[in-house]
């Protein structure tokens, strides 16, 4: 996994509108990039709605959610919950693997690959200033807002 002080990796992924986004789009502003397992599930919905409600308090920071869901699922999720930030589709796990959040998990004795719920806060130069690991969806946006100052 990446560490605080490292540059966030370059990426090119499509958002919920099919527009290709990259790290270069974020230069010059702070960013919160959070990784979550699946659109429209209870924990992921709670987390997304908290970010939606907290975006105005994030000053100049952009919020971006990333999951392995396809663009169509992101569009439906964003519309259903009136999300006011970008969702990036990473069905091939390129960015998920590059940042180290595509990991082996287990449930009920079964092992599988999935997303470790993690948030990265970046400065205006794309350098990681804070990492939140093993995130609990409820209350997380408030912790991120505090980290942004």
């Amino acid at each position: 996994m990446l560490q605080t002080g490292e540059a966030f990796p370059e990426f090119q992924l499509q958002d919920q509108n099919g527009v290709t986004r990259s790290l270069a789009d974020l230069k010059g502003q702070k960013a919160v990039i959070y990784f979550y397992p699946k659109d429209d599930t209870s924990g992921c919905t709670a987390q997304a709605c908290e970010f939606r409600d907290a975006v105005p308090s994030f000053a100049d920071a952009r919020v971006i959610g990333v999951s392995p869901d396809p663009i169509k699922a992101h569009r439906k999720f964003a519309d259903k919950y009136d999300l006011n930030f970008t969702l990036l589709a990473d069905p091939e796990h390129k960015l998920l693997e590059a940042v180290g959040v595509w990991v082996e998990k287990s449930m009920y004795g079964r092992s599988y690959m999935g997303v470790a719920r993690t948030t990265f806060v970046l400065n205006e130069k794309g350098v990681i200033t804070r990492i939140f690991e093993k995130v609990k969806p409820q209350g997380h946006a408030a912790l991120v807002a505090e980290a942004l100052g």
Side-chain angles (χ1 to χ4, degrees):
M1 170 123 57
L2 296 172
Q3 301 296 314
T4 302
E6 291 184 324
F8 198 79
E10 295 290 335
F11 63 86
Q12 286 196 336
L13 297 173
Q14 290 186 313
D15 69 12
Q16 69 265 35
N17 300 313
V19 176
T20 299
R21 304 290 181 161
S22 69
L23 184 63
D25 297 332
L26 303 175
K27 295 292 169 115
Q29 59 188 320
K30 292 180 182 177
V32 174
I33 302 178
Y34 81 96
F35 293 85
Y36 65 99
K38 186 155 180 57
D39 290 336
D40 213 5
T41 56
S42 61
C44 296
T45 298
Q47 186 177 20
C49 289
E50 282 194 12
F51 273 119
R52 175 200 63 206
D53 297 343
V55 161
S57 69
F58 283 10
D60 61 345
R62 290 249 331 256
V63 174
I64 297 174
V66 183
S67 85
D69 290 305
I71 296 166
K72 192 174 182 179
H74 280 344
R75 178 75 267 152
K76 185 177 176 184
F77 187 46
D79 288 345
K80 183 175 181 179
Y81 295 101
D82 198 26
L83 301 181
N84 53 0
F85 54 87
T86 302
L87 298 176
L88 296 178
D90 191 9
E92 296 175 359
H93 316 133
K94 290 179 182 178
L95 185 57
L96 295 167
E97 289 178 17
V99 299
V101 300
W102 186 248
V103 298
E104 186 172 345
K105 301 171 102 178
S106 65
M107 186 185 308
Y108 307 120
R110 182 179 75 86
S111 293
Y112 62 98
M113 295 301 288
V115 177
R117 197 182 298 271
T118 308
T119 300
F120 295 86
V121 178
L122 312 182
N123 68 15
E124 296 85 348
K125 295 179 181 177
V127 174
I128 301 165
T129 59
R130 183 81 188 265
I131 301 171
F132 294 88
E133 296 180 69
K134 298 179 182 174
V135 168
K136 301 273 188 257
Q138 290 79 8
H140 180 57
L143 293 174
V144 173
E146 190 177 297
L148 286 168

